[in-house]
Amino acid sequence: MSNGPVSLLAMGGTVAAALDDGGAAPRHGAGDLAGTVSGLPVAVRPRDVRTVPSRAVTLDDMWTLAAAVREEIEGGAAGVVVTHGTDTLEETVYALAMLVDTDVPVVVTGAMRAPHLPGADGPANIRAAISAALHPPLAGYGPVVVFQDEIHVARLVTKHHSTRVAAFASPSAPRRVPGGERGGTAARSAARH
């Protein structure tokens, strides 16, 4: 396990949503998101990249994110966590797999429930993503998605459900979850394929 720091890059999405008169929209930055998880055994270095709904993420945004990930790694990050909206999360993690060659774990996560809703899943997903990013061997699988205590490799992950908090799956991979939030970092045997 690495001692960090872990960079937390924010792209927007439901995980960063706030409610106002116009409805819910991404408004919380990386510093706010880092503040939702406490007691971590590592320093978290927050950085805002974009603050957009996932459906508005463009190819230019993906290039900008890839450059930011590389800059954080060059700046000494032991791992990089990206918070992102779920509509295009699997496209972004796949783009990162094509654009970022690294020996440092890169983990993408988000939330299905906004922070102001009961059962908000963002803080638990961010905590699990940071835990995964602290595990150096994970880098060998390229950028991954961590969601609901599962890890999915970029080339196999898909958004399997549009409303459940366990929205992501790797249908072509066998399932293996050795610990999750209560016993360590979750894993997918897909990472070995």
Side-chain angles (χ1 to χ4, degrees):
M1 185 162 290
S2 175
N3 292 338
V6 170
S7 293
L8 179 66
L9 307 183
M11 286 288 290
T14 299
V15 69
L19 190 61
D20 67 13
D21 293 339
R27 291 186 180 83
H28 295 295
D32 298 323
L33 296 174
T36 67
V37 293
S38 60
L40 296 171
V42 64
V44 176
R45 204 165 53 189
R47 176 178 174 182
D48 295 316
V49 178
R50 295 283 190 266
T51 307
V52 297
S54 180
R55 67 183 175 277
V57 171
T58 65
L59 292 175
D60 285 341
D61 294 332
M62 291 180 192
W63 280 100
T64 299
L65 176 60
V69 168
R70 286 190 298 270
E71 289 168 8
E72 292 299 317
I73 293 166
E74 290 166 5
V80 178
V81 172
V82 176
T83 60
H84 198 285
T86 61
D87 287 345
T88 57
L89 188 143
E90 71 265 40
E91 289 84 1
T92 297
V93 74
Y94 191 80
L96 289 174
M98 300 292 108
L99 299 171
V100 178
D101 185 25
T102 178
D103 57 356
V104 170
V106 176
V107 181
V108 182
T109 195
M112 291 298 292
R113 293 188 183 139
H116 59 275
L117 295 176
D121 56 326
N125 287 339
I126 293 169
R127 177 179 285 281
I130 291 170
S131 294
L134 290 172
H135 190 65
L138 188 62
Y141 305 114
V144 297
V145 171
V146 170
F147 225 86
Q148 287 302 110
D149 290 330
E150 292 183 346
I151 296 174
H152 303 273
V153 295
R155 65 184 162 77
L156 297 177
V157 69
T158 186
K159 188 171 180 184
H160 198 63
H161 204 281
S162 61
T163 58
R164 291 184 182 158
V165 292
F168 290 89
S170 298
S172 61
R175 187 169 190 196
R176 187 183 124 229
V177 182
E181 191 173 288
R182 289 169 288 286
T185 303
R188 293 287 292 182
S189 61
R192 293 184 298 198
H193 294 41

